[in-house]
Amino acid sequence: MRTVASEFGEEAHGVAGWPSANVGHEARPDRLPDGRAWPTILVLIAHEGDADGLSATIASVVAQDYPEARHDVLADGAPLNGELAALSGPDAEYLLLLHAGDLLAPGALTALGFEAVGSGADRVAGLRVLFDRGVIGLDVIGDPSRVCADGTVPFTGGDVLLSREAVLRAGASEASGFDLVALWGRLEAIGASFVRIGRPVLLQHCRGARARSKGASLSIAALTDRGLSGGAGIAHRRLADALRLSGHRVTDYRLDAEAPPATAEWTDRFPRTEAAICGGGHDLVLAGNLHGATRGIDPLAHLGATMPVAAVLHDLFPLTGRCAFPSEGSRIATGCDAACPSADQYPQLAPNRIATAFAAKRAILSGPGAPLLLANSRWTLSTARALGGPDIRVHRIDLAFPTGVFRPPEDRAALRRSLGLAADDVLILFGAVIADMPGKGFADLKAVLGRVARPGVGFVAVGRLDDPSRFDLPNLVSTGPVTDEGTLARWYGACDIHVTASRIETLGQMPIEAGLCGTPTVAYVVGGLTDAVIDGVSGLLVPPVPERLAAALAALIADAPRRRRLGAFARLAFEGRNSHASAAIRLHDLFVEQGWLLPPPDGRIRFAPEMLGRFAFAKRRDPGDAGTVAPASPAAVRQLRRAKQALLGRGMPIWMRRALYVAALFRRRVGRGR
């Protein structure tokens, strides 16, 4: 078993170098978020004559640090269900069935039990890591009802937690032997509910096995306006990474390679980019965040004439006449036009062009070859359906997050010292790509933070902030733009609370990133934040009133034990639901449902061995990406921005936009002439 131990962290303890159960986690709270006890789990292990394997399996169960679990060994050939009553008793709520030699991944029982209670599912599946001398690959049950030609099913045992009630309801007492196929078939027959978490729970030794075929794969064109940096660009890059780790081939394309951003208000055709995609032999286009390069979604219509197109709703631009996030008083329901109440906000469009742009988008979304819109939260899904009309096609997906990069610090005190932060202050983190952007709730946030400012409370602003004095806060540390994920995770992990006053998120990536680092979030109960913050689990949600946000923040400042509990639960929830694997699983299901991808013949979704490096307990963790946002501007540029904002506000008058447009065209023609 020592071969697989080399794939895990050197902080490992226990048999065969296994990490402790809480690697990458805050300490597990004694009770669940609603005050209930953790569920009791009975682990049944089939001996099967493998004494060494049995010893390793038992050790991996004991190392889980899950007091509510106990294990029993089934003698060779012993009936699985004939012994249930004697082995489990009425207080065993869940069962896990292992073969001798199977190893539980660090924290597997906590992750499975947490999801089982939270979802109420009868069956909770996680990732299985297959190994011999090294990691062969990872997989997870894709279609639980799949039965192969040889009669096998996708269930192999230890990667699925089973509700004891469902097992008994399925007629378990009639089974004989350790027959997983028969048990799974009965659970399917009674319609036992099934969910998955996107993190490893089981390592299974496959002696002599080689790297497996990844199965059917797609060639995917990932299309954005300005590339894979900035908030939506980061989200799109992570989705592309999740697809690559699933065996798909992904090629990146940028609209601004053909037309500079200054021409966006006057540009809706990109013939060279469209020709490159159409000639690239791709099966699918995955588009997102186009408004920085074009006034419409015409490229999606042109590409949709030759191949399927899916457009991720990182914002609502595909549904509106102009804006990415409609303001109060939006006219979308009746038709966007020149009376748009926010026409001077980015992305700007001359008022007399808005109605035409709106009509063109609606025609595309209801016409032949219309893109399938992908919503990154429940709120985005319901809003798209409400705004898009009956002909719109929209589907729910999850975004991907590098859970091995964003993880709780091993030593928060040492981390604070290294960052030059006060050792004993309660530190509140806030920010965005542009930390003082009005659309992110700057006015509310300034008022809220001013209410809780006092000795012993410090503040960390992450992102571009040209004038930190605008917040008028003592003990404010402004990091500036943080351009790599590893450094950003350090700032999250060093702080106690993340707060946002934004009202315009389709999801909200910062609350999930902070939660993965064990830092809870306080936010308004609006928009996609209702998915990014799980109220009472990963943070607190309040009505969109500054006084209510300030009161919730003050209460959490004063309650250190509650902060720690929320941080621990945030890590648990988001690691299982928002990993690269979680996003890939939901995208796989979508592709199969749409007929773009054949279902795997064995009912299991497969991932490359490199997927393991995306989790906190891997020895060779992926370091995360750099260049995620633009670096800090020179001081002179920051001063010019401040002067421009003081004179003209955040937007630009039409004469300035036209001047920049003409200048961009001139530069392009000069460049071609060289």
Side-chain angles (χ1 to χ4, degrees):
M1 297 300 168
R2 294 188 181 276
T3 52
V4 73
S6 66
E7 301 295 333
F8 291 84
E10 293 178 358
E11 65 274 87
H13 300 286
V15 170
W18 273 103
S20 62
N22 289 322
V23 172
H25 291 262
E26 299 279 4
R28 194 200 79 171
D30 292 336
R31 296 254 165 192
L32 291 164
D34 61 3
R36 284 185 290 172
W38 285 84
T40 54
I41 299 176
L42 172 66
V43 181
L44 296 178
I45 308 169
H47 190 299
E48 299 173 333
D50 183 359
D52 290 340
L54 178 63
S55 176
T57 299
I58 292 173
S60 78
V61 175
V62 173
Q64 291 290 299
D65 191 22
Y66 192 93
E68 298 79 9
R70 67 186 183 92
H71 64 273
D72 286 288
V73 178
L74 293 171
D76 293 345
L80 167 64
N81 299 302
E83 296 192 28
L84 267 179
L87 290 175
S88 64
D91 61 340
E93 300 167 78
Y94 293 92
L95 305 175
L96 194 68
L97 312 175
L98 299 176
H99 298 278
D102 287 350
L103 303 174
L104 291 180
L109 294 185
T110 297
L112 290 167
F114 182 80
E115 184 62 29
V117 172
S119 66
D122 296 316
R123 299 175 289 174
V124 180
L127 304 188
R128 179 179 65 167
V129 181
L130 300 174
F131 72 94
D132 187 16
R133 295 185 177 276
V135 175
I136 298 167
L138 291 79
D139 63 18
V140 69
I141 294 176
D143 180 1
S145 64
R146 183 80 177 181
V147 178
C148 299
D150 60 1
T152 58
V153 295
F155 176 53
T156 63
D159 55 342
V160 184
L161 188 70
L162 305 173
S163 159
R164 176 176 176 268
E165 184 277 331
V167 171
L168 294 176
R169 184 160 45 92
S173 60
E174 300 173 4
S176 60
F178 198 71
D179 191 342
L180 298 181
V181 172
L183 174 61
W184 193 254
R186 281 191 289 274
L187 289 167
E188 278 295 301
I190 66 167
S193 54
F194 174 77
V195 299
R196 292 163 296 195
I197 57 174
R199 59 98 76 202
V201 298
L202 177 71
L203 283 90
Q204 205 162 69
H205 194 192
C206 300
R207 292 180 176 85
R210 297 180 178 179
R212 300 177 308 159
S213 167
K214 297 183 179 67
S217 64
L218 299 173
S219 175
I220 300 172
L223 177 64
T224 58
D225 52 7
R226 305 185 191 183
L228 304 177
S229 64
I234 292 169
H236 213 70
R237 171 178 47 75
R238 290 172 178 170
L239 285 176
D241 288 345
L243 290 169
R244 290 186 180 100
L245 291 167
S246 303
H248 301 294
R249 304 175 303 283
V250 183
T251 306
D252 297 321
Y253 295 89
R254 300 171 49 152
L255 294 180
D256 70 349
E258 184 169 353
T263 68
E265 189 172 352
W266 292 271
T267 306
D268 53 22
R269 297 189 66 84
F270 299 83
R272 292 199 304 276
T273 305
E274 293 164 13
I277 293 174
C278 291
H282 300 299
D283 302 300
L284 168 70
V285 175
L286 184 71
N289 199 41
L290 302 182
H291 65 259
T294 179
R295 66 188 177 192
I297 56 172
D298 297 60
L300 303 186
H302 302 153
L303 294 168
T306 60
M307 70 186 76
V309 174
V312 183
L313 292 175
H314 300 299
D315 52 60
L316 299 177
F317 177 74
L319 296 161
T320 74
R322 175 205 60 81
C323 61
F325 294 97
S327 62
E328 293 183 8
S330 166
R331 302 174 64 84
I332 298 175
T334 57
C336 297
D337 57 24
C340 172
S342 59
D344 60 341
Q345 297 177 14
Y346 175 83
Q348 290 176 254
L349 187 64
N352 63 349
R353 297 178 181 270
I354 293 176
T356 300
F358 180 78
K361 289 180 181 177
R362 287 305 162 98
I364 290 171
L365 293 177
S366 61
L372 174 65
L373 302 182
L374 304 181
N376 55 17
S377 69
R378 291 170 298 175
W379 177 85
T380 305
L381 179 66
S382 62
T383 300
R385 286 173 172 166
L387 297 179
D391 297 324
I392 194 173
R393 299 170 61 226
V394 61
H395 196 286
R396 173 85 161 82
I397 64 166
D398 290 319
L399 296 186
F401 292 81
T403 66
V405 176
F406 294 104
R407 63 186 188 276
E410 295 176 15
D411 186 336
R412 183 167 288 180
L415 177 56
R416 286 191 173 191
R417 287 194 298 271
S418 70
L419 295 173
L421 297 172
D424 299 321
D425 282 1
V426 176
L427 296 182
I428 301 170
L429 181 143
F430 62 93
V433 175
I434 303 175
D436 60 350
M437 186 175 178
K440 297 294 185 179
F442 167 73
D444 281 12
L445 187 61
K446 183 176 184 293
V448 166
L449 297 180
R451 285 174 177 264
V452 301
R454 59 176 172 78
V457 176
F459 304 92
V460 174
V462 173
R464 196 183 90 190
L465 185 58
D466 292 333
D467 184 9
S469 67
R470 293 186 68 197
F471 279 99
D472 191 26
L473 288 172
N475 303 325
L476 173 62
V477 175
S478 178
T479 71
V482 180
T483 61
D484 69 279
E485 291 174 333
T487 301
L488 180 58
R490 285 165 55 82
W491 286 107
Y492 282 131
C495 294
D496 297 285
I497 306 170
H498 168 245
V499 64
T500 176
S502 178
R503 305 178 188 224
I504 62 170
E505 307 292 343
T506 53
L507 177 65
Q509 295 183 88
M510 287 192 74
I512 295 176
E513 292 171 347
L516 285 168
C517 296
T519 303
T521 292
V522 181
Y524 287 146
V525 59
V526 294
L529 288 168
T530 52
D531 271 356
V533 182
I534 308 171
D535 191 29
V537 177
S538 73
L540 303 176
L541 292 172
V542 299
V545 178
E547 292 77 11
R548 296 289 296 274
L549 190 63
L553 184 57
L556 208 51
I557 290 171
D559 194 343
R562 191 180 191 193
R563 294 198 305 267
R564 289 192 290 269
R565 287 197 304 272
L566 290 172
F569 287 132
R571 172 69 198 184
L572 270 173
F574 295 139
E575 184 189 39
R577 301 176 189 179
N578 292 98
S579 67
H580 278 81
S582 301
I585 289 167
R586 196 183 278 265
L587 285 170
H588 172 93
D589 291 346
L590 168 67
F591 293 170
V592 171
E593 177 186 306
Q594 295 293 317
W596 302 338
L597 183 69
L598 293 174
D602 61 354
R604 299 190 71 94
I605 305 169
R606 297 176 180 178
F607 307 105
E610 291 76 18
M611 179 67 87
L612 182 60
R614 301 303 173 116
F615 297 98
F617 41 72
K619 179 179 179 180
R620 289 183 282 274
R621 283 192 294 257
D622 181 86
D625 283 297
T628 52
V629 298
S633 304
V637 174
R638 296 198 299 271
Q639 290 293 339
L640 284 173
R641 271 201 303 259
R642 290 174 61 180
K644 179 262 174 188
Q645 291 170 13
L647 291 172
L648 301 174
R650 293 270 177 172
M652 292 185 182
I654 187 65
W655 63 265
M656 183 177 288
R657 304 202 302 272
R658 287 173 176 163
L660 292 173
Y661 171 58
V662 171
L665 292 180
F666 177 75
R667 285 195 300 269
R668 185 167 58 181
R669 289 174 182 172
V670 170
R672 289 176 182 173
R674 291 178 180 175

